[in-house]
Amino acid sequence: MDLQSRLEALIAPSLDAMGYELVRVQLQGKQRLTLQVMADRKDGVMMTVEDCADISRSISALLDVEDPISAAYTLEVSSPGIDRPLTRAKDFEIWAGFEAKMEASQPIDGRKRFRGKLLGLDEAGNVRLGVETGEVAIPMADVRGAKLVLTDELIAATMRDQTED
């Protein structure tokens, strides 16, 4: 199991028990490592600074005991934000209809980078994206990175969701 998978397996159950969902774990940097943990509340309410602090305390204790990272690092806990990364299959369904940027690990129709309207998943589990030349389907396993694009439509939808809660 690689370090990324090990960290996810270590952190996700703790977050789940606290009422959060793990969005992404990412170890960044060469000389100064940063462990970035992004989480969402399960109840759909916007994350607060207190939520991040609670998660940080819990994860810090867990990582101190398990010690999966041999070098010194800084722990950074945050919400995914409005222009959030899309990391789970359900993200591509929930955020269908909004503009997204995606990068594939393998070329599709001669290119790896795409920007367009997210159309969800097809029956085979491929991510569908409406681009200027039509529609492209990218296998989930080949999605290297994906995130929502900050648009007026996305901001309006996010604000509307928060006022409904």
Side-chain angles (χ1 to χ4, degrees):
M1 181 183 297
D2 67 344
L3 181 58
Q4 178 82 20
S5 300
R6 186 168 174 224
L7 288 167
E8 288 172 4
L10 190 62
I11 294 169
S14 178
L15 290 183
D16 184 58
M18 295 173 67
Y20 302 98
E21 284 184 291
L22 180 63
V23 174
R24 179 172 77 184
V25 173
Q26 192 172 45
L27 191 59
Q28 306 171 163
K30 298 252 187 259
Q31 295 178 348
R32 299 173 88 196
L33 292 176
T34 300
L35 177 61
Q36 181 189 64
V37 177
M38 285 187 183
D40 267 336
R41 289 176 56 125
K42 284 185 188 179
D43 62 9
V45 173
M46 190 179 271
M47 291 278 287
T48 66
V49 173
E50 284 303 314
D51 290 321
C52 292
D54 290 344
I55 292 170
S56 182
R57 283 188 290 275
S58 176
I59 291 174
S60 288
L62 186 62
L63 294 173
D64 285 348
V65 171
E66 296 293 327
D67 200 23
I69 304 169
S70 56
Y73 64 92
T74 301
L75 176 61
E76 177 184 289
V77 176
S78 68
S79 74
I82 294 175
D83 56 343
R84 63 186 301 122
L86 305 168
T87 59
R88 306 162 293 185
K90 76 177 195 172
D91 293 338
F92 296 99
E93 293 289 348
I94 292 169
W95 297 101
F98 293 99
E99 194 170 339
K101 286 183 183 179
M102 296 183 61
E103 184 174 350
S105 57
Q106 305 293 320
I108 297 169
D109 298 331
R111 46 192 281 212
K112 289 185 175 183
R113 289 193 174 99
F114 301 90
R115 180 177 175 149
K117 188 174 196 173
L118 191 56
L119 303 173
L121 300 174
D122 64 17
E123 312 78 45
N126 298 312
V127 178
R128 296 173 38 241
L129 196 65
V131 296
E132 65 280 352
T133 56
E135 186 178 316
V136 65
I138 304 169
M140 273 295 294
D142 290 343
V143 174
R144 176 180 284 165
K147 68 179 266 178
L148 293 175
V149 175
L150 190 60
T151 62
D152 290 342
E153 180 186 17
L154 179 61
I155 293 168
T158 303
M159 297 308 288
R160 187 174 49 251
D161 288 349
Q162 293 308 313
T163 57
E164 291 172 1
D165 290 336

